[in-house]
Amino acid sequence: MSTLAERAVARTPRRLALRFGGMSDRAIAWLFITPSVLLLLAINIFPLLWSIQLSFTNYRANRPNAAIRFVGLDNYRDILTDPEVWHAMQATAHFVMWSIALEFVLGFGLALLINRRFRGHSFWTTIILLPMMLSPAVVGNFWTFLLQPQIGLFNSAIALLTGLDPSSFQMIGNVRLAPWSIIMVDTWMWTPYVMLICLAGLRSIPEYIYEAAEVDRASPWRQFWSITLPMVMPFLMLAILFRAIENFKMFDMVNLLTSGGPGSTTEVASITLKREAFEKWRTGYSSALAIILFVTVFGAANIYVKVLNRVKQR
């Protein structure tokens, strides 16, 4: 090994060796990661800046040769006064709030169960994680088939339990049930993700804390409220943050499952953005909508992270 190192040093040009010899380890590290950082900035920052520029124009992607006119804040004013956009934001908020609440409860409950290390817990953990390993496009098509009123297994199972006619109701075709269908599918897919984060938090709690609580004759319920929940809370809040960001920009699963229907009942903000950009070809308008959604998510995440830091400091 030393011979190879000596050969490498011997074959290094003297000028290059002197140049690197006077650099600190931190400077050498930055030298290696700078190309990757510049590439990531070009991939992420350039589209953002270009979208900001387009949001102040009437540009249409299907008319690249047409004259581009500067419209100022007209696109932003039209978006903020458009009832359809506010309806999409309301549908998005309904989807995000209920899916996060269900994933929080079910994920934390499964984590508490798996943490007991019963016989076969590794096998059942793997089974529970299977939905998370699937692509959202696959999940959308899979559940579209399951929720069919005539041949779907979901309606047949409900009919078996309640005695209803399987074709008497439609989950993805009913105005009242369609929003809950996308919430149910998202909960089925991403509850294992929340469970993993909660399980990591439960496994990080030292055993001697529970031993001390048992010495003080604390009941299991008291141990849960005084030890388990407070120490796992940062992990829970982190899981909620990740899932809220992902659900706010959810597109592929909802698009394949309901396409925003029936009507515009399940038309979340990402589907509205897609329709404005690639169906109506209002590129400037859709760029402004994308910037508004970005600022909304960024601002909400920033506030949430500050709250999370305060919780960790307690």
Side-chain angles (χ1 to χ4, degrees), residues 63-288:
R63 300 175 184 175
N65 298 324
I68 301 177
R69 181 169 55 88
F70 180 80
V71 297
L73 298 176
D74 289 350
N75 288 329
Y76 291 93
R77 184 173 61 251
D78 293 341
I79 290 171
L80 295 178
T81 56
D82 189 350
E84 294 183 1
V85 174
W86 285 107
H87 180 271
M89 296 297 290
Q90 184 179 0
T92 304
H94 179 270
F95 169 66
V96 171
M97 294 295 294
W98 280 105
S99 60
I100 293 301
L102 292 175
E103 290 168 15
F104 171 83
V105 174
L106 295 177
F108 189 42
L110 288 173
L112 289 173
L113 181 62
I114 296 297
N115 192 49
R116 293 180 177 275
R117 300 179 184 273
F118 55 88
R119 180 179 297 180
H121 73 278
S122 299
F123 170 77
W124 288 109
T125 302
T126 305
I127 296 298
I128 293 173
L129 293 178
L130 285 178
M132 188 183 67
M133 302 176 186
L134 301 175
S135 168
V138 174
V139 172
N141 287 320
F142 173 70
W143 275 93
T144 300
F145 174 75
L146 288 181
L147 296 176
Q148 291 297 321
Q150 286 79 22
I151 59 175
L153 296 179
F154 182 83
N155 281 38
S156 300
I158 296 297
L160 183 63
L161 294 175
T162 62
L164 296 175
D165 184 6
S167 59
S168 63
F169 63 96
Q170 298 183 16
M171 288 295 296
I172 58 178
N174 186 279
V175 174
R176 294 184 178 180
L177 297 179
W180 294 103
S181 65
I182 61 175
I183 292 172
M184 178 183 63
V185 174
D186 186 81
T187 302
W188 174 82
M189 183 177 182
W190 291 111
T191 293
Y193 178 81
V194 179
M195 184 200 74
L196 276 182
I197 297 181
C198 295
L199 188 61
L202 291 173
R203 297 281 171 86
S204 66
I205 301 176
E207 290 293 335
Y208 66 83
I209 298 181
Y210 289 106
E211 294 174 358
E214 291 179 358
V215 171
D216 291 338
R217 297 182 179 180
S219 64
W221 189 249
R222 183 64 179 175
Q223 292 180 28
F224 173 80
W225 283 106
S226 300
I227 300 175
T228 304
L229 190 59
M231 299 193 73
V232 179
M233 186 58 66
F235 293 87
L236 290 173
M237 296 186 69
L238 191 64
I240 292 174
L241 174 63
F242 289 159
R243 288 307 311 145
I245 293 175
E246 289 297 323
N247 281 6
F248 191 86
K249 60 182 183 179
M250 178 67 68
F251 171 76
D252 39 10
M253 188 268 291
V254 178
N255 187 53
L256 288 170
L257 195 62
T258 63
S259 298
S264 59
T265 305
T266 60
E267 185 173 320
V268 293
S270 57
I271 294 182
T272 301
L273 179 61
K274 186 265 294 186
R275 290 181 175 174
E276 295 292 340
F278 301 110
E279 294 181 10
K280 300 179 182 179
W281 295 103
R282 302 171 66 186
T283 309
Y285 182 91
S286 61
S287 297

